[in-house]
Amino acid sequence: MKQVFNQILSSLMALLVLASTVSWTVDKHLCMGRVMDISLFLHADDCGMESAMTAMKDDNVQNPCCEDESFTITGQENLKLSWNDLDWDHQVFLVTFAHSYTELFVSLKERPLPNEQYPPPKLVKDIQVLDQVFLI
């Protein structure tokens, strides 16, 4: 179960890195204020109004109803961070977090017994039974 979770998590992290580094270009074709076509990475197809205007062969008529819009979301260019790019507070936090996280998985060979050198007291009478005080 743990291996499957690790594989899923690593795949999601790889997709996240890929999505953040790729530049996305969205191209829209608008005709009379309505979106006719949206395209990622390619040019959006037109509505056919341009070809109809050229078929009429009238050079004086402009096409005010159609327009193309495109915008680009740029991805990250520099993915390599150096230790000097971090503030002093962030460096201290990362070092202490890493140290405390690795100390969680260190197993102790022997558990220390705090009263190893002292023998337990000898009970002459059982006080709980005498006072009839029991934990329920």
Side-chain angles (χ1 to χ4, degrees):
M1 182 67 183
K2 187 176 180 181
Q3 291 177 347
V4 172
F5 179 71
N6 284 340
Q7 290 175 350
I8 291 171
L9 187 63
S10 63
S11 299
L12 287 175
M13 293 297 284
L15 286 175
L16 178 69
V17 168
L18 178 68
S20 68
T21 56
V22 172
S23 295
W24 300 86
T25 300
V26 179
D27 196 24
K28 294 190 292 186
H29 179 75
L30 300 166
C31 187
M32 294 186 190
R34 292 185 182 172
V35 177
M36 299 306 280
D37 191 29
I38 296 177
S39 177
L40 292 174
F41 304 115
L42 299 173
H43 182 69
D45 294 334
D46 60 351
C47 60
M49 189 69 76
E50 300 283 333
S51 60
M53 294 301 254
T54 57
M56 290 188 336
K57 297 180 182 175
D58 189 4
D59 294 335
N60 296 334
V61 179
Q62 296 291 329
N63 188 5
C65 67
C66 292
E67 62 181 295
D68 291 325
E69 289 182 8
S70 66
F71 60 92
T72 302
I73 301 170
T74 57
Q76 280 184 322
E77 295 293 327
N78 187 10
L79 291 178
K80 196 170 207 177
L81 293 176
S82 68
W83 184 254
N84 296 330
D85 291 342
L86 297 175
D87 295 340
W88 173 251
D89 296 333
H90 291 126
Q91 290 177 2
V92 170
F93 173 74
L94 286 175
V95 168
T96 55
F97 179 76
H99 179 69
S100 64
Y101 187 73
T102 55
E103 290 295 320
L104 287 175
F105 301 110
V106 173
S107 62
L108 298 175
K109 303 286 189 250
E110 296 179 8
R111 295 185 63 191
L113 298 174
N115 297 327
E116 184 177 329
Q117 299 168 350
Y118 303 107
K122 295 183 180 180
L123 294 177
V124 179
K125 297 178 183 176
D126 195 0
I127 296 175
Q128 289 181 344
V129 174
L130 288 176
D131 294 336
Q132 293 186 356
V133 176
F134 305 106
L135 295 176
I136 296 177

